[in-house]
Amino acid sequence: MTAPDVVAPEEGALSSALTIADAQTALRDGTLTATELLREAYATADAVDETLGIYLSRFDETAQAAAAAIDAAFAAGEDPGPLAGIPLGIKDIISTTEGETTAQSLVLDRAWGAGVGDAVVVSRLRAAGAVITGKLTTMEYATGVPDPAKPFPIPRNPWNTDYWTGGSSSGTGNGVAAGAILGGLGTDTGGSIRIPSAFCGITGLKATFGRVPKSGCVPLGYSLDNIGPMARSARDCAIMLNALAGYDASDACAVEVPTEDYLAGLDGDLSGLTIGLDRLLGKAPTRDPAVDAALDAVVDVLTGLGATVVDVELPLWQELNAATRITSRSEAFAYHAPDLRSRWGDYFSATRTGVGAAIAFTGADYVQAQRVRRVGQKAVASLFETVDLIITPTSSVAGWKIDELDSMADRFGAMHTGYWNALGNPALALPMGFSGQPRAGGLPLSLQIIGRPFTESLVLRAGDAYQRVTDWHVLTPAAADRPAAAVAS
Amino acid sequence: MTVEAAGQPGPDAGMDQPETALYTAERLDVLLELAELPLSPQRKEKLIETLPDLDQKVAKIRSVALGETPPATAFDARWS
């Protein structure tokens, strides 16, 4: 299936549909320099950031120096790495050497990041040649919803600016969709990579818990947090995961299992695979009917690629979602309790009530939640004896209007991501259609592909195969269009 | 302890909500005091709005028969 009404950017403008893979090729064949690519990315940000709320801080000077060094290396015949010259942004709860890490909060001590420097993941991206462009908007401490009373940008969806990007990796989501960056880092405790990927129409991967080290990141839920790639395509996520994955002793949750070349298996072939589909009917308080039509089309595409799609029902759905909520809130409260006691009013409204509500959970409730997670792991492992992959909608809705957001409490049920944080499996969100017309107020819909633990290669292979024969992921929002003159200047 | 098969419905299965609300305003006062979290009446009102939803979450995990299942926690004595 192809997407309707694909609109190409004006000639001469940086295509916001440019992928990391495209840029890799152009940089290596000499048709594009890292300096030009960075300049165009920043020009896009200059044009849209005031409206969309992508950046909290930019690193123009150091990024330009890094891009120049990459160009010099290419000119000298060297290969500066698989991400050489690629402009990537970092969610502002992950520490970088340049600038402050704020967690988009008045509460976090601005000296926090200075003691950390580059997080392991940032060091790995730089070692692969990436150009780090700046720090991107998030929800406060990676939880909740925007608070207009606080002095931070409110991230807007580039497909329809009345709508929210989803959270909490909001600036990574709308930055990639708008073409201000080619990819970036998000974090995911209950869906914070996958939900903004879904709402903004891009691709995002929550790898297996422990696959990517998370030291140097402000914690939300210690046993649920993940750092992962967000980009336009599954292939781009694989390129980034090649740099990000691997054990590091600085993260107590990191798991010492071998990594793979995540690009090696992207062959477009799904022959012989059995894919379990749970449409999650009746599992959400509201459901956009366009989701069901999109899922029907997904089944046709996957079948055409050689897979067999069978219906499955995910076990313990509500129980595991409850375990994620109790775990996330309890772990966050443990971290924030001292500041909540003294600075309640400085927190965003949704953060303080969401996290503060954890006073209602007992220690036994927390331990029971961890036991439910173990029961759930066994039940889902049994299901994975009958299928190779599982697919669901990432969300039952395409988004919410910003002026209707007051808390997430009654909205969690429409997002189908937290279940997989309780279990730890790798899960990829990728565009599968639209609710309404693209570029006419319509919003993207998203498919979620889940694999057994540490099978990111297979998850990415399925996502890449789907994207080879569909073009939802290369659609660009009108907000990304810029006059050619703006690029040339 | 009653031996149950893990993952099967437990004694509280099907209990979506407790018969009586666990979190009354009075109970919230006690919890806030234990947590050393002093809030104004207005802020308490906002917080208590979130609690019925948490009631349901707690009821959900209590409805699962856990048998002898240990919790999903990790600790490595070699950590330094």
Side-chain angles (χ1 to χ4, degrees):
Chain A
M1 163 174 261
T2 57
D5 302 331
V6 178
V7 182
E10 287 184 39
E11 189 175 350
L14 169 66
S15 166
S16 62
L18 187 73
T19 64
I20 291 172
D22 295 336
Q24 275 183 326
T25 302
L27 287 159
R28 278 165 177 73
D29 69 18
T31 56
L32 181 68
T33 68
T35 299
E36 290 168 342
L37 182 57
L38 177 67
R39 185 171 65 233
E40 295 193 6
Y42 274 152
T44 299
D46 288 340
V48 301
D49 202 4
E50 188 173 341
T51 302
L52 297 183
I54 297 168
Y55 277 104
L56 282 171
S57 59
R58 277 179 29 178
F59 304 155
D60 293 48
E61 197 172 317
T62 53
Q64 285 159 6
I70 294 294
D71 287 333
F74 275 128
E78 301 166 8
D79 187 343
L83 287 167
I86 304 298
L88 302 178
I90 308 295
K91 181 180 181 177
D92 196 28
I93 64 165
I94 301 169
S95 183
T96 54
T97 301
E98 313 96 319
E100 297 173 332
T101 296
T102 71
Q104 195 152 336
S105 176
L106 297 173
V107 177
L108 183 66
D109 186 339
R110 293 298 184 262
W112 181 87
V116 177
D118 276 347
V120 172
V121 285
V122 176
S123 295
R124 288 179 176 179
L125 292 178
R126 288 194 212 271
V131 173
I132 305 301
T133 59
K135 305 297 278 292
L136 306 170
T137 51
T138 170
M139 296 299 99
E140 185 186 36
Y141 281 107
T143 188
V145 296
D147 186 340
K150 295 295 188 293
F152 294 101
I154 293 182
R156 294 181 179 274
N157 194 314
W159 292 98
N160 183 333
T161 54
D162 290 337
Y163 281 76
W164 186 38
T165 52
S168 61
S169 307
S170 307
T172 323
N174 63 4
V176 171
I181 44 177
L182 295 195
L185 292 182
T187 64
D188 192 315
T189 305
S192 286
I193 286 173
R194 289 162 288 159
I195 292 300
S197 294
F199 289 1
C200 294
I202 67 166
T203 305
L205 175 69
K206 183 201 85 64
T208 309
F209 183 75
R211 171 63 94 189
V212 176
K214 54 194 173 65
S215 42
C217 178
V218 180
L220 176 61
Y222 298 103
S223 70
L224 302 165
D225 292 342
N226 301 266
I227 298 175
M230 298 167 68
R232 191 162 291 282
S233 68
R235 173 168 289 271
D236 285 359
C237 288
I239 293 169
M240 288 184 66
L241 188 62
N242 271 349
L244 296 168
Y247 176 75
D248 190 281
S250 64
D251 177 7
C253 297
V255 181
E256 200 163 3
V257 292
T259 59
E260 300 170 59
D261 178 354
Y262 299 103
L263 285 167
L266 306 186
D267 59 8
D269 184 13
L270 301 184
S271 298
L273 292 181
T274 301
I275 299 176
L277 165 64
D278 189 339
R279 294 174 181 266
L280 300 174
L281 294 169
K283 299 284 173 55
T286 55
R287 187 176 180 94
D288 188 326
V291 170
D292 298 296
L295 283 173
D296 290 340
V298 166
V299 171
D300 289 344
V301 170
L302 297 178
T303 303
L305 290 166
T308 301
V309 181
V310 299
D311 289 326
V312 297
E313 182 170 359
L314 294 172
L316 298 167
W317 178 258
Q318 291 187 43
E319 292 80 359
L320 283 162
N321 278 294
T324 296
R325 286 284 299 284
I326 292 167
T327 304
S328 170
R329 293 308 190 204
S330 299
E331 293 178 356
F333 185 68
Y335 181 82
H336 288 286
D339 285 327
L340 284 168
R341 287 176 189 129
S342 59
R343 302 184 62 183
W344 182 270
D346 285 340
Y347 278 93
F348 282 26
S349 173
T351 310
R352 63 198 186 208
T353 53
V355 176
I359 60 167
F361 300 134
T362 66
D365 291 334
Y366 177 82
V367 174
Q368 293 302 87
Q370 307 322 303
R371 297 176 74 200
V372 169
R373 292 173 72 180
R374 289 289 293 125
V375 169
Q377 280 183 304
K378 289 177 184 173
V380 172
S382 292
L383 178 57
F384 266 117
E385 288 175 5
T386 64
V387 297
D388 300 294
L389 294 165
I390 291 170
I391 57 173
T392 75
T394 309
S395 167
S396 288
V397 299
W400 295 289
K401 286 190 169 180
I402 288 173
D403 60 12
E404 294 171 355
L405 286 172
D406 51 359
S407 80
M408 287 306 296
D410 56 349
R411 303 181 195 279
F412 279 116
M415 302 187 296
H416 304 317
T417 49
Y419 181 91
W420 299 108
N421 293 82
L423 298 168
N425 297 57
L428 180 76
L430 66 166
M432 66 168 180
F434 264 77
S435 175
Q437 278 296 308
R439 292 181 164 242
L443 294 166
L445 299 170
S446 179
L447 173 70
Q448 188 173 215
I449 304 175
I450 306 101
R452 301 181 185 103
F454 298 105
T455 62
E456 287 83 5
S457 284
L458 182 60
V459 170
L460 289 163
R461 179 178 141 205
D464 173 69
Y466 176 80
Q467 290 180 332
R468 285 176 185 231
V469 294
T470 60
D471 49 15
W472 302 110
H473 63 294
V474 294
L475 281 174
T476 62
D481 294 347
R482 289 182 298 114
V487 177
S489 63
Chain B
M1 168 177 277
T2 305
V3 177
E4 303 152 341
Q8 298 304 306
D12 297 330
M15 186 183 68
D16 280 354
Q17 294 189 48
E19 288 180 5
T20 54
L22 288 174
Y23 305 116
T24 61
E26 293 74 22
R27 184 172 164 79
L28 179 63
D29 283 339
V30 173
L31 291 170
L32 288 170
E33 193 171 333
L34 289 171
E36 300 177 58
L37 198 57
L39 296 185
S40 66
Q42 189 184 14
R43 286 174 170 171
K44 270 192 257 186
E45 200 173 313
K46 287 290 287 183
L47 186 59
I48 204 163
E49 287 171 11
T50 67
L51 299 184
D53 180 53
L54 301 185
D55 274 1
Q56 292 182 30
K57 299 292 175 277
V58 171
K60 275 295 167 196
I61 63 163
R62 288 179 183 170
S63 73
V64 180
L66 296 168
E68 295 299 315
T69 305
T73 54
F75 180 78
D76 188 331
R78 296 169 300 176
W79 284 339
S80 57

